[in-house]
Amino acid sequence: MELFKKIKAAIGLDTVENTEFRNAFLRCIEEYSNKSQYFYTITFSEIPFYNETIKKWDDEKKGEFVIFLANTVRNTYSSYFKGNKKLSEEYQMAFQMLQNMFRSKMKFSESTIITIYDIFNKKISDKGDTGIYWWPVSGFFRQIENSFPANDIPEKVLEILNEIISIKKHANSYFYKDQVKLDEKIKTYLHTYEKGEEAAKPTYFIGEDRFQIFANTLLDKQKEEDKKNWFELVALAQKTTGSKPSQKYLNDTKKIIDQLGSDKFKKVTQEWFTFVIDLKETITPLTQTYGEHEYTYNVIEFLSSLNSDAIKGFVWMSSWFYDNTTIQTISKLAERCFKKIPEKGPAAAGIGNACLYTLYASKGLDGIAQLSRLRLKIKQNNTLTLIEKYIEEAAHKLGVSAVEIEDLAVDDFKLKDYQLSYTFDDYKGVIELSGIGKSNLKWFKPDGSEQKTVPQLVKDKFAVKLKKLKAVQKQIDQTTASQKERFDRMLRSNRSMSLDYFKTKYVQHGLLSFVINKVIFKFSNATEECLAININNQWINNNYDSVDIDKFTTVSLWHPVTSSTNEVKEWRKFLLEGQIQQPFKQAYREIYLLTDAEVNTRTYSNRMASHILKQHQYVTLAKGRNWKARLIGAWDGGDQDTAQLFLPEYNICVEYWVNALNADDEFNANGIWNYVTTDQIRFLNSETNELIDLVDVPPIPFSEAMRDVDLFVGVASVGNDPTWSDSGGLPTYRDYWQNYSFGDLSEIAKNRKEILQGLIPRLKIAAVTRVEDKFVVVKGKLRTYKIHIGSTNILMEPNDQYLCIVPDRSKKDMNENLFLPFEGDNGLSVIISKAFLLADDDKITDKTITSQINR
């Protein structure tokens, strides 16, 4: 009789129960209508009858109601798409209520399960995809698990489950990920039915990609007694959701790892992670025809979403470990996963975020040190915000500031006098710091004499130890490079510290003491202050007088904007005469002071306005300097952006406005504008969001913000592109290119000019080269050339004919053997390279150049 009623219900025939269910259903609609006129996302906690009555029905009655809801969905489906309001509300209520009920645990009879499946399995419409996965099949399976123990599944239910897993899967399908995950759950359930509770189901990586082949092959190579633990870990990893692991997940996986053995776990997972680090994305062009038109697009593959989820789970498990190899591997994995793939974005942001969590959660400070390094490498705004949040949280736990925890987290690598020694029997390998991001590996024989190559004994007998030594050398180089960048950023903050803190955390630190060499610090006490630099382990001023820093109480990095013009010049002279190269621009840092025009405009500066920038290059530069900037494109709201730089030490937010240059449809395949035009710079109080008068902005944040924006313009302006005018560019804006290419010098270019004036007399081309106004003038054998110091573009005398030379980046940097008072200036390198080339213009063989010279 009960089965007969279910059959009638399944085909929609009215019953007493159906009438009751209908009335209950309509009451829910009525009660929700009083709360909201929209049924797109229904909040069931706002429906009293559902919570007070329906949820209290017994499971069998709930099963009958589920059948009623499924039939209602079927009967209202077509009307919903036709726009019938009443039936549309019924459809949305029935479908969402069905999903909501399946989230709870209910026990159904076999006949109820069969009836529900029959409804799900029937085609609803000839239009659209209404296969079984359009229904909440995962929730349906949950009720089967609740209703029947795995050792007592009815035959008909077994047929249903086998039918579900036999459904063909399509990788491009919207439901593909859900299908594969559900299949694995069903297979586990059936495996228990066939083999019993104790038998571990073989669980492999299920996403179809190159990682799957590598990882599953490695799983198959594990010892039989270990496979059960590995399969359990993979099964748990496949269930990962959310941005952070639950403590239960971490505890459950730790128990299994303990049974397996942490060394075995780390060995295999690090092989998996290394495979992903080295994995290159594949780009496959596909062509499809629609009507009479052919469309070509790229299919980009890195990792399947299914395997990304599982890898994320294993990254979380690694938060239990804090050994150097694990931390380094997780850090490299994060960097790889946040690397952008063209037309897609970050390669695997989910895994990357898991890496950030693991670095934060691991015991000790090595993970924080890696977060600090990654903050200088990663460009995505939301990722940088997450890194800063983790560093802040870690600092709060230790009761220190975020800046202090970054100091504490810098590894000294046990360096002594900037060296680290390893012994290999009677041989010795010594890592010796030679520069920022550079070190030498020297080898010494048993008699103490130096050997230029790695001893054969070391290669043969100590291959593993040698590999570790080289890995440590690479880490040291990365650390000195990242700390240099951190100190450069620190100039924005005007950070002050006690002398004792400075000596303990910097001067006496094996690695940081090397980084701060040749950096100028300001020492002060209640009555006096002094600038000093550490040269050969001695603090001196720019007169070479020794400075006793112990009589001072506070220390800060010196910023030249806080000193007089004469004092800055004296320090620059000191560096040049002493051939002292600073690790970053400090004494030669560009200084930006408030102009009369900016005093008159009061709340904004137009100093960097009206430029045309290559958008992608500009945004990359902005993010590299910690500005929050985004690409804008040909879509609603994509006509402008305001880049922001937050300076919390001053409660200041700096804004730089840019607008889309909508000319000649200059956007790429993704709709991103190729060019933007620049507008005003403003300073706001970050707490009140009120504009700050420029005269009230402290000198350091004003100068640093202007310096950043000058860098964006100086590098990304189309005026710097020697090919832009001749390659098409934007015809309407050719005048801008000409004016910028050979116009007034920016502060960056003025600094470059000062260096060139001291550098050119020392070059072998000094006799034919001079600095004149805005140009480096080179008298060649055939013609005289004027290289603009700002844009590096060239004019030829006597008629100021433009000469287009595109620098060959593969050729040796002409700056390599020249002294510069700071590291790095690509424009300076380009100018010197062009000067050397044009001084011997009669020896140039490149026809694209000679045809212009001889024109």
Side-chain angles (χ1 to χ4, degrees):
M1 188 68 181
E2 183 184 328
L3 180 60
F4 180 66
K5 285 196 295 183
K6 285 187 172 64
I7 294 170
K8 289 176 70 178
I11 60 176
L13 296 177
D14 196 22
T15 65
V16 174
E17 289 85 350
N18 254 2
T19 302
E20 180 189 359
F21 293 156
R22 179 74 181 165
N23 291 337
F25 178 69
L26 293 176
R27 181 164 175 178
C28 289
I29 291 177
E30 180 184 355
E31 288 183 354
Y32 191 72
S33 297
N34 295 331
K35 299 284 184 181
S36 173
Q37 59 179 320
Y38 302 108
F39 281 66
Y40 304 117
T41 304
I42 298 171
T43 306
F44 285 92
S45 61
E46 296 180 354
I47 305 175
F49 188 79
Y50 178 79
N51 292 284
E52 296 166 10
T53 303
I54 295 175
K55 286 177 73 173
K56 294 179 180 178
W57 288 343
D58 62 51
D59 286 352
E60 195 55 37
K61 189 169 184 178
K62 285 180 182 176
E64 300 284 354
F65 188 55
V66 164
I67 293 170
F68 165 81
L69 291 173
N71 273 317
T72 303
V73 170
R74 290 178 57 83
N75 295 334
T76 56
Y77 177 86
S78 298
S79 299
Y80 166 71
F81 285 100
K82 289 177 182 176
N84 183 299
K85 185 176 186 302
K86 177 178 177 298
L87 294 178
S88 176
E89 289 176 353
E90 289 190 20
Y91 169 81
Q92 291 179 88
M93 177 62 76
F95 194 82
Q96 292 182 57
M97 191 178 286
L98 186 65
Q99 291 175 312
N100 193 67
M101 290 188 72
F102 275 169
R103 291 189 186 104
S104 62
K105 288 185 176 182
M106 298 177 284
K107 288 188 176 182
F108 295 156
S109 65
E110 179 182 355
S111 61
T112 299
I113 293 292
I114 294 170
T115 304
I116 294 170
Y117 181 72
D118 285 344
I119 298 171
F120 283 6
N121 208 25
K122 288 177 184 174
K123 197 169 185 180
I124 292 180
S125 168
D126 291 333
K127 297 178 181 178
D129 181 7
T130 54
I132 191 169
Y133 275 96
W134 176 82
W135 295 91
V137 186
S138 291
F140 172 63
F141 171 66
R142 192 178 302 117
Q143 307 318 314
I144 293 177
E145 282 186 299
N146 295 333
S147 302
F148 309 106
N151 61 356
D152 189 24
I153 307 173
E155 191 65 35
K156 288 288 185 183
V157 176
L158 283 173
E159 289 177 11
I160 288 172
L161 295 176
N162 282 305
E163 193 171 310
I164 290 173
I165 61 177
S166 69
I167 296 171
K168 190 174 181 181
K169 315 297 184 291
H170 298 282
N172 319 347
S173 166
Y174 177 79
F175 302 109
Y176 177 71
K177 188 174 178 179
D178 293 332
Q179 283 179 300
V180 176
K181 283 193 169 184
L182 178 59
D183 277 8
E184 290 302 307
K185 290 177 183 177
I186 294 174
K187 287 174 184 177
T188 300
Y189 184 56
L190 295 176
H191 182 269
T192 305
Y193 170 77
E194 294 170 1
K195 306 290 185 181
E197 293 282 351
E198 297 303 315
K201 172 187 171 289
T203 307
Y204 292 92
F205 291 92
I206 53 180
E208 296 179 3
D209 56 25
R210 289 163 292 168
F211 174 80
Q212 180 195 41
I213 300 167
F214 175 80
N216 288 346
T217 301
L218 199 55
L219 277 176
D220 283 331
K221 290 179 181 178
Q222 302 310 301
K223 293 180 180 178
E224 287 302 320
E225 60 266 29
D226 293 333
K227 284 185 178 179
K228 180 178 183 293
N229 290 320
W230 278 114
F231 292 150
E232 288 178 357
L233 289 173
V234 174
L236 284 170
Q238 288 172 350
K239 296 176 182 176
T240 56
T241 56
S243 58
K244 287 183 181 179
S246 66
Q247 193 58 49
K248 183 179 184 304
Y249 175 85
L250 293 174
N251 292 339
D252 288 348
T253 54
K254 182 64 163 61
K255 288 176 185 175
I256 303 171
I257 293 170
D258 288 343
Q259 292 173 12
L260 174 67
S262 59
D263 288 343
K264 291 178 183 177
F265 174 83
K266 287 189 283 188
K267 182 179 184 298
V268 172
T269 54
Q270 283 165 16
E271 285 193 55
W272 288 342
F273 297 157
T274 302
F275 180 87
V276 176
I277 292 167
D278 296 334
L279 186 64
K280 306 295 183 187
E281 61 269 15
T282 59
I283 302 176
T284 307
L286 294 179
T287 301
Q288 288 193 353
T289 303
Y290 294 95
E292 298 179 356
H293 300 282
E294 276 193 353
Y295 298 90
T296 300
Y297 60 95
N298 291 328
V299 174
I300 302 171
E301 182 187 278
F302 182 62
L303 288 170
S304 71
S305 60
L306 290 163
N307 286 341
S308 289
D309 287 346
I311 295 167
K312 180 172 76 170
F314 279 102
V315 170
W316 283 343
M317 294 178 208
S318 300
S319 62
W320 288 109
F321 309 107
Y322 52 95
D323 58 282
N324 184 60
T325 303
T326 297
I327 294 296
Q328 289 291 325
T329 303
I330 295 294
S331 179
K332 291 174 187 174
L333 181 62
E335 195 171 340
R336 175 64 185 97
C337 290
F338 284 120
K339 185 178 179 182
K340 291 187 74 173
I341 295 175
E343 302 176 25
K344 181 177 179 181
I351 300 175
N353 287 335
C355 291
L356 300 183
Y357 168 83
T358 294
L359 293 172
Y360 154 73
S362 61
K363 186 178 176 182
L365 288 172
D366 288 348
I368 301 301
Q370 290 303 318
L371 287 177
S372 181
R373 183 187 75 83
L374 289 169
R375 183 161 63 171
L376 301 170
K377 292 280 187 181
I378 292 169
K379 302 295 187 287
Q380 290 90 348
N381 292 333
N382 56 345
T383 305
L384 289 172
T385 301
L386 183 60
I387 292 174
E388 287 163 7
K389 177 190 168 193
Y390 282 146
I391 292 175
E392 289 279 357
E393 287 181 7
H396 181 72
K397 287 179 183 178
L398 291 177
V400 298
S401 70
V403 189
E404 288 172 328
I405 199 172
E406 289 190 83
D407 288 339
L408 295 171
V410 182
D411 194 345
D412 66 0
F413 295 95
K414 297 184 173 62
L415 288 162
K416 296 285 177 67
D417 297 325
Y418 312 138
Q419 293 184 341
L420 180 61
S421 298
Y422 282 72
T423 57
F424 301 82
D425 285 351
D426 294 331
Y427 286 88
K428 186 165 68 171
V430 179
I431 299 172
E432 182 180 71
L433 300 187
S434 58
I436 299 298
K438 304 170 189 172
S439 62
N440 299 319
L441 179 53
K442 296 182 177 180
W443 293 98
F444 295 91
K445 300 176 184 178
D447 63 3
S449 62
E450 187 174 348
Q451 178 171 321
K452 291 186 177 180
T453 59
V454 182
Q456 192 61 44
L457 176 141
V458 174
K459 291 181 181 178
D460 295 340
K461 187 177 177 181
F462 299 99
V464 174
K465 190 175 179 180
L466 176 62
K467 184 178 179 182
K468 180 183 176 183
L469 182 151
K470 290 183 177 180
V472 170
Q473 182 185 17
K474 186 174 181 181
Q475 291 168 32
I476 290 172
D477 292 346
Q478 287 177 341
T479 304
T480 55
S482 65
Q483 290 307 307
K484 178 203 82 168
E485 293 295 328
R486 189 166 75 94
F487 274 94
D488 183 75
R489 301 273 179 88
M490 208 183 292
L491 274 172
R492 289 175 175 171
S493 66
N494 198 27
R495 178 192 176 194
S496 180
M497 65 193 90
S498 71
L499 179 68
D500 287 342
Y501 183 94
F502 175 70
K503 289 173 72 174
T504 302
K505 304 302 181 190
Y506 290 81
V507 179
Q508 296 165 11
H509 190 280
L511 182 139
L512 285 180
S513 58
F514 181 83
V515 179
I516 66 169
N517 275 341
K518 305 172 186 175
V519 175
I520 305 165
F521 286 88
K522 181 170 73 174
F523 298 87
S524 57
N525 55 32
T527 59
E528 65 176 313
E529 63 180 37
C530 173
L531 299 181
I533 189 170
N534 191 292
I535 304 292
N536 297 325
N537 294 319
Q538 183 180 8
W539 291 97
I540 58 175
N541 61 23
N542 57 19
N543 290 320
Y544 295 91
D545 298 326
S546 178
V547 175
D548 179 13
I549 66 170
D550 287 326
K551 69 178 183 178
F552 299 100
T553 55
T554 59
V555 187
S556 61
L557 270 172
W558 171 65
H559 196 296
V561 78
T562 61
S563 293
S564 66
T565 302
N566 185 60
E567 188 168 32
V568 174
K569 284 184 177 179
E570 287 300 314
W571 275 106
R572 291 181 177 181
K573 179 182 176 184
F574 168 84
L575 296 177
L576 281 173
E577 288 179 348
Q579 297 275 291
I580 298 167
Q581 185 184 66
Q582 293 195 287
F584 54 87
K585 272 189 181 181
Q586 188 186 26
Y588 274 87
R589 204 171 190 83
E590 297 79 18
I591 298 171
Y592 298 78
L593 303 174
L594 199 64
T595 64
D596 291 340
E598 287 162 342
V599 172
N600 292 333
T601 55
R602 196 170 65 81
T603 59
Y604 64 90
S605 168
N606 276 328
R607 196 187 304 198
M608 307 295 178
S610 302
H611 288 281
I612 301 173
L613 310 184
K614 295 180 176 181
Q615 186 183 193
H616 283 85
Q617 194 173 20
Y618 148 68
V619 170
T620 300
L621 285 166
K623 289 182 176 181
R625 293 295 297 169
N626 260 35
W627 288 68
K628 296 188 183 301
R630 68 185 181 96
L631 293 168
I632 55 178
W635 53 71
D636 289 344
D639 54 349
Q640 62 183 18
D641 180 48
T642 302
Q644 293 181 313
L645 173 67
F646 290 92
L647 300 170
E649 301 87 353
Y650 306 95
N651 290 328
I652 284 176
C653 171
V654 191
E655 293 187 343
Y656 187 38
W657 295 6
V658 298
N659 302 288
L661 182 56
N662 184 359
D664 302 333
D665 291 332
E666 278 289 339
F667 52 80
N668 67 15
N670 294 321
I672 305 295
W673 296 113
N674 293 331
Y675 307 109
V676 292
T677 59
T678 65
D679 206 331
Q680 61 185 240
I681 302 169
R682 310 195 308 171
F683 293 76
L684 291 84
N685 184 310
S686 56
E687 293 183 338
T688 65
N689 208 35
E690 294 177 349
L691 280 171
I692 303 173
D693 287 354
L694 297 184
V695 293
D696 295 326
V697 178
I700 290 177
F702 181 84
S703 184
E704 285 297 298
M706 288 294 181
R707 180 177 182 267
D708 280 354
V709 178
D710 199 1
L711 170 72
F712 308 157
V713 172
V715 175
S717 171
V718 299
N720 289 318
D721 183 352
T723 67
W724 195 77
S725 180
D726 291 338
S727 65
L730 292 171
T732 315
Y733 297 93
R734 295 283 168 80
D735 287 345
Y736 166 78
W737 182 87
Q738 184 70 29
N739 293 336
Y740 181 88
S741 292
F742 304 107
D744 294 337
L745 299 183
S746 66
E747 292 300 325
I748 292 174
K750 288 176 185 175
N751 252 16
R752 192 178 289 159
K753 177 179 177 180
E754 182 180 338
I755 295 164
L756 285 165
Q757 286 172 326
L759 181 63
I760 286 175
R762 307 203 311 268
L763 301 178
K764 67 179 183 180
I765 58 171
V768 295
T769 308
R770 67 184 188 276
V771 175
E772 186 177 291
D773 190 22
K774 300 174 288 187
F775 300 93
V776 170
V777 180
V778 182
K779 183 174 178 56
K781 308 292 192 307
L782 305 176
R783 297 184 77 162
T784 298
Y785 309 90
K786 298 191 299 184
I787 308 170
H788 191 264
I789 297 172
S791 67
T792 76
N793 289 328
I794 307 167
L795 296 175
M796 296 185 289
E797 293 185 349
N799 58 347
D800 279 351
Q801 176 190 335
Y802 173 62
L803 172 62
C804 178
I805 297 178
V806 180
D808 185 350
R809 300 186 186 277
S810 65
K811 288 191 176 179
K812 186 178 179 181
D813 186 352
M814 297 303 295
N815 284 0
E816 194 171 292
N817 298 315
L818 298 173
F819 165 74
L820 294 176
F822 55 85
E823 289 194 7
D825 182 341
N826 184 61
L828 189 61
S829 175
V830 170
I831 290 170
I832 293 170
S833 297
K834 288 181 176 180
F836 270 95
L837 177 72
L838 296 172
D840 290 324
D841 56 357
D842 60 329
K843 297 178 182 177
I844 297 173
T845 57
D846 189 325
K847 291 183 180 179
T848 61
I849 299 175
T850 57
S851 63
Q852 297 177 76
I853 293 174
N854 298 323
R855 191 175 298 164

